[in-house]
Amino acid sequence: MFKPFVHIQNLNLSYRHKAVLKDLYWEINVCENWVLFGESGSGKTSLAKVIAGLIPAQGRVEVDFDPISKLPAEVLFVESWYQFKNLEGVANFYYQQRYTSQQAKETLTVHAELVAYGKEKGLHLDQVEPILAALNFSSFASSQLIELSSGEHKKLQLVKALWLKPQLLIIDQPYTGLDVASRQNLNSLLDGISSQGVQLILISNDAELPSSIHSFAEIKDGQLITSAKRDLTSVSVEKHNRKIPDFLKESPVYSSNNIVKMVDVNISYGEKQVLKNINWEVKAGEKWLLQGHNGSGKSTLLSLVNGDHPQSYANELYLFGNRRGSGESIWDIKQHIGLISPELHWYFDATSTVWQSIASGFYDTVGLFQQLPYSKSAQVDALVEYFGLTESKNELLNSLPLGKQRLVLLARTIIKNPELLILDEPYQGLDQQQTQHFNQLVDELCSNGMTLIYVGHFESQLPTCIEKRILLEKGEVKVVESLNTKTRHCEVRSNLLHRTI
């Protein structure tokens, strides 16, 4: 009888006296590749970290590495997002720093990071080039780490993992921030290293998976449920029946019918042009989908709308009826906007509680630094209850599972019932049920007149209210189109699935 590659028995793990894993049992045989999926907070990431030896737990965890394999006898765990530091070893960046530090060399470049990683792991640089090309990442060699978007950071994580090819590779949310083509190429690369002996555990709720995946597991009440088919597991999506708080039923008070107007906008960093002659207009109450390849300029475009980019003053840009640079401050602009993005999540104040994090949305800060009046406190309490966060409201934000952290920041985004809602990859870390619940809320808010700019690569996660679409390609506008809302839900997903975006 063959010995299993991974053997887990009687595994127990608790956080703050709450049991997460309970006498969990799991055997992974040689050549098996798995997907671990299910509800946010069920313990998927914790189990992965235990297998990788990153956190302690009670019970038996054995990994039987192949002593004659040429692959490193190592379990590599790839986090859901990339944690990096500046050249002085400090990681306390602030949100706008990505756009204000282009001239300063504050972090390593992608090339320097790969050189350091290759030296640490004994890898040859020529072996990484095909991986960079397959993920369309070769052109980012000279980019500083702080300049990268969430999708580009995910690509850097994946490049390093695919380059190393450990005997066991565990990737948390492998498709986060990746465009359609990159997801397809990643699956091909994962199949490739699997054929070379790398065994995979992917933590993902996504439908698109490598063809080498044949086993599925879900954590339910601390136990592992395994299956040969995903649809035999117990994940279900039910309709969210909570009524939205009364203050969100009111239509936003618009200061102007013109929310955004860009006239021949150009953004460059030295010789690198990121946006080229952008012309775009968003009217009050419109619902837009913003799409494009990783690196197409989406994040830079949003930084102009949100008032974060210093080059906005050198362009003809109008926000909420006023030309940028006509006397308004960045805080005047942000008062009109509710924003969530992966970058904002990265840099959010780790010492804030759930309640404080939501309340900070009134002031557009990354922490709460003043006492709220009763009326605003009541609104925070209403959203805490609506999102099912009552038991966690006094806990630190970073102590929660990733999905619940994202729910907190989604609540922060809508707390002031803004004129403009900017949702940049809003559902990273959420399970299917949480995603559907928030989509219902977005649709209801938009039916009350809120303006929406939504950025997302996953067609299955789009709210139904979207009525217009802008597509960027290499910094230029390639498509601006209206979508028939009656047939959009079927047509746009069909169209997008067959386009390279």
Side-chain angles (χ1 to χ4, degrees):
M1 184 175 181
F2 292 104
K3 186 177 181 181
F5 179 49
V6 178
H7 179 71
I8 300 172
Q9 189 171 6
N10 298 327
L11 186 66
N12 289 273
L13 180 67
S14 297
Y15 284 134
R16 296 184 300 278
H17 309 295
K18 180 181 179 181
V20 177
L21 307 177
K22 307 173 187 176
D23 295 322
L24 185 141
Y25 175 86
W26 194 11
E27 279 194 352
I28 299 176
N29 295 313
V30 174
C31 297
E32 286 183 347
N33 295 318
W34 288 76
V35 164
L36 183 59
F37 71 105
E39 295 181 359
S40 172
S42 60
K44 304 184 297 296
T45 299
S46 297
L47 175 57
K49 287 184 175 181
V50 170
I51 297 172
L54 299 176
I55 58 174
Q58 295 181 330
R60 183 179 176 185
V61 179
E62 295 179 350
V63 181
D64 186 30
F65 295 110
D66 183 354
I68 63 173
S69 172
K70 294 182 180 179
L71 303 178
E74 183 177 338
V75 180
L76 178 64
F77 174 68
V78 179
E79 298 267 8
S80 57
W81 65 40
Y82 189 68
Q83 303 291 327
F84 64 95
K85 297 180 179 180
N86 66 12
L87 296 176
E88 296 178 353
V90 178
N92 59 334
F93 303 102
Y94 58 89
Y95 174 61
Q96 291 87 3
Q97 196 166 349
R98 178 182 170 196
Y99 307 107
T100 59
S101 63
Q102 304 294 341
Q103 302 305 317
K105 300 300 181 184
E106 299 191 17
T107 58
L108 289 176
T109 64
V110 169
H111 177 74
E113 176 79 358
L114 291 176
V115 168
Y117 186 75
K119 184 177 181 180
E120 175 191 349
K121 298 293 185 179
L123 303 171
H124 298 287
L125 270 178
D126 58 346
Q127 296 173 338
V128 79
E129 293 299 331
I131 304 171
L132 293 170
L135 291 177
N136 194 27
F137 201 54
S138 301
S139 62
F140 290 89
S142 61
S143 298
Q144 290 189 65
L145 300 185
I146 197 173
E147 297 173 14
L148 302 181
S149 67
S150 62
E152 291 152 10
H153 274 291
K154 175 57 72 176
K155 286 185 178 182
L156 180 57
Q157 289 178 290
L158 294 169
V159 165
K160 293 162 79 172
L162 292 162
W163 187 17
L164 178 64
K165 291 189 291 191
Q167 290 193 32
L168 179 57
L169 175 59
I170 308 175
I171 309 179
D172 197 353
Q173 308 301 328
Y175 307 106
T176 293
L178 299 187
D179 56 49
V180 173
S182 296
R183 298 199 302 268
Q184 294 171 347
N185 291 342
L186 171 61
N187 283 340
S188 296
L189 290 167
L190 291 172
D191 285 335
I193 64 170
S194 174
S195 69
Q196 298 174 47
V198 176
Q199 291 195 225
L200 304 172
I201 300 175
L202 306 183
I203 303 175
S204 175
N205 287 320
D206 301 313
E208 303 171 56
L209 296 169
S211 59
S212 55
I213 297 288
H214 298 291
S215 301
F216 304 87
E218 176 192 2
I219 300 174
K220 198 76 172 179
D221 298 324
Q223 303 273 308
L224 199 76
I225 302 171
T226 63
S227 172
K229 292 183 179 180
R230 183 194 295 246
D231 58 6
L232 295 181
T233 61
S234 57
V235 170
S236 61
V237 179
E238 301 174 356
K239 186 173 178 61
H240 189 29
N241 293 318
R242 295 192 191 106
K243 294 182 178 179
I244 68 170
D246 288 340
F247 73 92
L248 290 177
K249 296 177 181 178
E250 302 175 5
S251 297
V253 178
Y254 284 105
S255 53
S256 171
N257 186 51
N258 295 307
I259 303 300
V260 179
K261 184 177 180 181
M262 299 183 182
V263 180
D264 294 329
V265 167
N266 291 274
I267 299 293
S268 297
Y269 306 132
E271 296 181 357
K272 182 180 179 180
Q273 190 163 8
V274 180
L275 294 179
K276 305 173 186 176
N277 301 320
I278 301 294
N279 290 278
W280 186 33
E281 195 165 357
V282 178
K283 298 287 189 181
E286 292 181 342
K287 292 85 181 175
W288 283 85
L289 175 64
L290 169 61
Q291 291 195 310
H293 277 301
N294 298 128
S296 61
K298 301 185 302 297
S299 295
T300 302
L301 188 71
L302 290 182
S303 72
L304 292 169
V305 176
N306 197 43
D308 289 322
H309 206 294
Q311 292 188 40
S312 60
Y313 299 104
N315 283 279
E316 189 174 349
L317 169 65
Y318 302 85
L319 300 176
F320 307 98
N322 298 312
R323 179 158 183 172
R324 192 74 172 95
S326 59
E328 80 291 351
S329 71
I330 186 176
W331 304 111
D332 294 329
I333 293 170
K334 289 180 181 294
Q335 271 301 305
H336 301 278
I337 299 172
L339 165 74
I340 188 169
S341 69
E343 291 84 0
L344 181 65
H345 193 168
W346 293 346
Y347 305 135
F348 204 82
D349 184 5
T351 65
S352 291
T353 65
V354 166
W355 198 95
Q356 292 168 337
S357 299
I358 296 173
S360 70
F362 282 118
Y363 307 106
D364 305 294
T365 54
V366 291
L368 186 63
F369 306 106
Q370 55 187 295
Q371 189 171 355
L372 263 60
Y374 174 79
S375 60
K376 290 185 176 180
S377 294
Q379 289 179 219
V380 177
D381 289 337
L383 277 184
V384 165
E385 182 179 355
Y386 177 82
F387 281 100
L389 297 165
T390 303
E391 292 184 359
S392 307
K393 69 177 184 179
N394 294 319
E395 296 182 21
L396 293 181
L397 179 66
N398 65 352
S399 71
L400 302 183
L402 180 62
K404 280 196 173 181
Q405 290 184 38
R406 186 52 63 97
L407 283 181
V408 171
L409 295 182
L410 286 168
R412 176 189 181 273
T413 302
I414 61 175
I415 186 64
K416 60 189 178 188
N417 197 15
E419 298 168 51
L420 174 61
L421 191 61
I422 300 177
L423 302 179
D424 184 1
E425 297 281 353
Y427 302 139
Q428 292 181 9
L430 299 190
D431 57 40
Q432 296 173 17
Q433 186 163 281
Q434 290 170 331
T435 297
Q436 180 166 309
H437 290 176
F438 193 76
N439 267 341
Q440 293 172 11
L441 173 59
V442 170
D443 284 335
E444 190 163 353
L445 291 174
C446 287
S447 71
N448 294 336
M450 190 175 288
T451 307
L452 173 68
I453 299 175
Y454 182 100
V455 181
H457 294 294
F458 287 88
E459 295 74 31
S460 61
Q461 295 179 350
L462 300 181
T464 60
C465 63
I466 292 173
E467 58 191 17
K468 296 192 174 186
R469 175 175 178 258
I470 179 171
L471 172 67
L472 298 184
E473 184 177 310
K474 296 181 180 179
E476 297 182 89
V477 175
K478 286 299 179 182
V479 175
V480 175
E481 60 185 351
S482 295
L483 304 171
N484 186 332
T485 55
K486 291 183 179 180
T487 58
R488 185 204 66 83
H489 212 52
C490 295
E491 288 183 355
V492 73
R493 291 182 182 177
S494 177
N495 290 340
L496 295 178
L497 284 170
H498 292 88
R499 292 180 185 176
T500 302
I501 58 174

